[in-house]
Amino acid sequence: MEITNVSEYEAIAKEKLPKMVYDYYASGAEDQWTLAENRNAFSRILFRPRILIDVSKIDMTTTVLGFKISMPIMIAPTAMQKMAHPEGEYATARAASAAGTIMTLSSWATSSVEEVASTGPGIRFFQLYVYKDRHVVAQLVRRAERAGFKAIALTVDTPRLGRREADIKNRFTLPPFLTLKNFEGLDLGKMDESNDSGLASYVAGQIDRSLSWKDVKWLQTITKLPILVKGVLTAEDARLAVQAGAAGIIVSNHGARQLDYVPATILALEEVVKAAQGRVPVFLDGGVRRGTDVFKALALGASGIFIGRPVVFSLAAEGQAGVRKVLQMLREEFELTMALSGCRSLNEITRNHIVTDWDLPHPRPLPRL
């Protein structure tokens, strides 16, 4: 069966992967309300397309932190990709590079920063978890810098791991033949068996719960790389991120894997964009499965979007070719959405091209005569 959209990869991944691995990638926190909402919220935004505009040429290129990319669709950090496919992060890096876009490598990757750099040229960001041992953090950041990574995406929503019940039921742990490659030499690369989620136990033991805004400042003293703050959902924190010297903000609820009943990221986006006041770019992470979703995010003020689960599901299904196809399908759908909305470049996409559920007071139904 020919795959015609991004969502179709999930069922293939579910068939192919061990239950523990599929559940780890697919599940969200607790009731998984936010998990569903991340997707559903997009359907509460409708288009106001403009017609009779010459759309024979469409330019989707953009720049992110000064780096030119082919489209505003980038790869979010997702952990332990070799659980999905033997080539793991190598395949994802090559697919991103071939598509002319940015890959973000997870701290908890099953390939190291050096290994990913060895796949060839490409613009890559490094997602950072702050460990209790700051020497480990400083060393990791230096390695990412040396390996040619261009920015740090600092995850700020994980002082503790969210309650992911599928992982508890499955006693999730990293398969024995894999390691968290960036930490291999530091005795932090393995995950112990646990009587709940092995990852939750690992986080409780290693990740710094005291992380605060002063650490965002500290990070700037140990690296020249721009820092994106990943995990902002409110105007208040958007303003603090700007004050703390962040180079950009990623609106993210961690794929609905941390605090359940936070809003969908597409709903939180506009509040954050307004608070940032154009001083730093704001990106959206979470729930994007269609080119129409990309357009909606840009219309609400995002400078670009990141995809996570579509990458691991397509990687599981077809390796590098799968990830490449996901990027290609999203690109083609986004280009079509631009054309049918009357936009020839990203700066022509405006708030007037959409109408949302929350724009207008809902009219009362007319009384029956």
Side-chain angles (χ1 to χ4, degrees):
M1 183 195 73
E2 190 191 350
I3 288 180
T4 55
N5 68 66
V6 166
S7 297
E8 287 173 346
Y9 275 116
E10 181 165 358
I12 298 169
K14 188 173 187 176
E15 255 173 51
K16 276 195 149 179
L17 292 171
K19 180 173 162 50
M20 180 190 79
V21 172
Y22 171 79
D23 285 354
Y24 170 73
Y25 291 140
S27 64
E30 296 186 358
D31 297 330
Q32 304 192 114
W33 182 85
T34 298
L35 183 66
E37 185 68 4
N38 265 357
R39 282 294 309 125
N40 295 339
F42 280 102
S43 67
R44 302 203 286 276
I45 302 168
L46 302 180
F47 294 120
R48 300 181 70 247
R50 300 302 307 275
I51 53 167
L52 295 174
I53 291 166
D54 175 356
V55 290
S56 52
K57 288 193 178 67
I58 290 193
D59 178 14
M60 289 179 284
T61 60
T62 188
T63 58
V64 170
L65 303 182
F67 299 99
K68 192 166 186 187
I69 54 175
S70 67
M71 57 182 174
I73 301 164
M74 299 166 281
I75 292 183
T78 49
M80 310 178 227
Q81 291 180 13
K82 283 187 180 176
M83 294 195 306
H85 188 275
E87 289 175 20
E89 294 83 2
Y90 288 77
T92 303
R94 291 187 182 110
S97 182
T101 193
I102 291 164
M103 172 198 183
T104 316
L105 182 72
S106 169
S107 275
W108 295 337
T110 38
S111 314
S112 67
V113 287
E114 294 83 4
E115 287 171 336
V116 169
S118 77
T119 62
I123 305 155
R124 303 187 185 103
F125 294 173
F126 181 70
Q127 176 272 334
L128 180 68
Y129 281 118
V130 176
Y131 281 57
K132 289 173 182 172
D133 183 344
R134 292 309 163 89
H135 296 299
V136 167
V137 179
Q139 195 181 332
L140 197 52
V141 169
R142 272 198 295 275
R143 281 172 57 197
E145 226 168 346
R146 271 204 303 272
F149 285 68
K150 302 301 185 201
I152 301 291
L154 175 69
T155 296
V156 294
D157 58 11
T158 313
R160 298 171 59 170
L161 202 71
R163 184 175 173 81
R164 306 166 190 177
E165 291 176 10
D167 292 348
I168 297 168
K169 283 187 171 69
N170 295 330
R171 303 277 188 265
F172 174 80
T173 189
L174 187 62
F177 54 91
L178 295 175
T179 59
L180 302 179
K181 261 292 185 347
N182 287 314
F183 300 97
E184 205 172 33
L186 301 162
D187 280 341
L188 296 169
K190 280 288 181 198
M191 215 173 279
D192 299 325
E193 297 283 331
S194 164
N195 60 3
D196 58 5
S197 153
L199 184 62
S201 304
Y202 180 86
V203 168
Q206 302 301 337
I207 302 303
D208 193 347
R209 293 184 186 184
S210 78
L211 191 70
S212 72
W213 289 107
K214 69 178 190 307
D215 298 294
V216 180
K217 297 272 199 201
W218 168 75
L219 209 48
Q220 291 165 73
T221 68
I222 66 161
T223 182
K224 292 278 180 283
L225 294 179
I227 294 160
L228 298 169
V229 177
K230 179 175 183 283
V232 172
L233 291 171
T234 63
E236 295 91 325
D237 284 335
R239 286 189 282 269
L240 289 171
V242 172
Q243 284 165 23
I249 291 168
I250 302 174
V251 175
S252 171
N253 54 32
H254 210 116
R257 294 157 75 80
Q258 283 299 101
L259 180 61
D260 201 12
Y261 298 98
V262 294
T265 48
I266 193 69
L267 292 194
L269 176 62
E270 199 164 25
E271 173 181 328
V272 172
V273 167
K274 283 176 175 166
Q277 295 180 319
R279 288 181 289 185
V280 299
V282 176
F283 304 95
L284 175 106
D285 166 64
V288 172
R289 300 291 180 274
R290 285 278 187 191
T292 48
D293 300 335
V294 180
F295 187 101
K296 289 170 184 181
L298 267 63
L300 287 167
S303 293
I305 66 93
F306 288 90
I307 50 166
R309 286 186 183 89
V311 171
V312 285
F313 292 148
S314 59
L315 182 65
E318 293 174 356
Q320 182 180 331
V323 180
R324 187 75 189 85
K325 180 149 189 194
V326 156
L327 291 167
Q328 190 57 35
M329 284 190 293
L330 283 174
R331 179 188 176 84
E332 287 170 5
E333 288 178 14
F334 177 54
E335 183 175 21
L336 182 59
T337 307
M338 285 179 69
L340 296 179
S341 297
C343 299
R344 293 161 295 197
S345 63
L346 302 191
N347 61 13
E348 289 188 354
I349 301 173
T350 70
R351 185 62 168 80
N352 291 330
H353 284 96
I354 57 166
V355 60
T356 71
D357 245 17
W358 55 94
D359 284 338
L360 299 166
H362 286 287
R364 286 199 189 87
L366 290 168
R368 281 216 174 87
L369 291 174

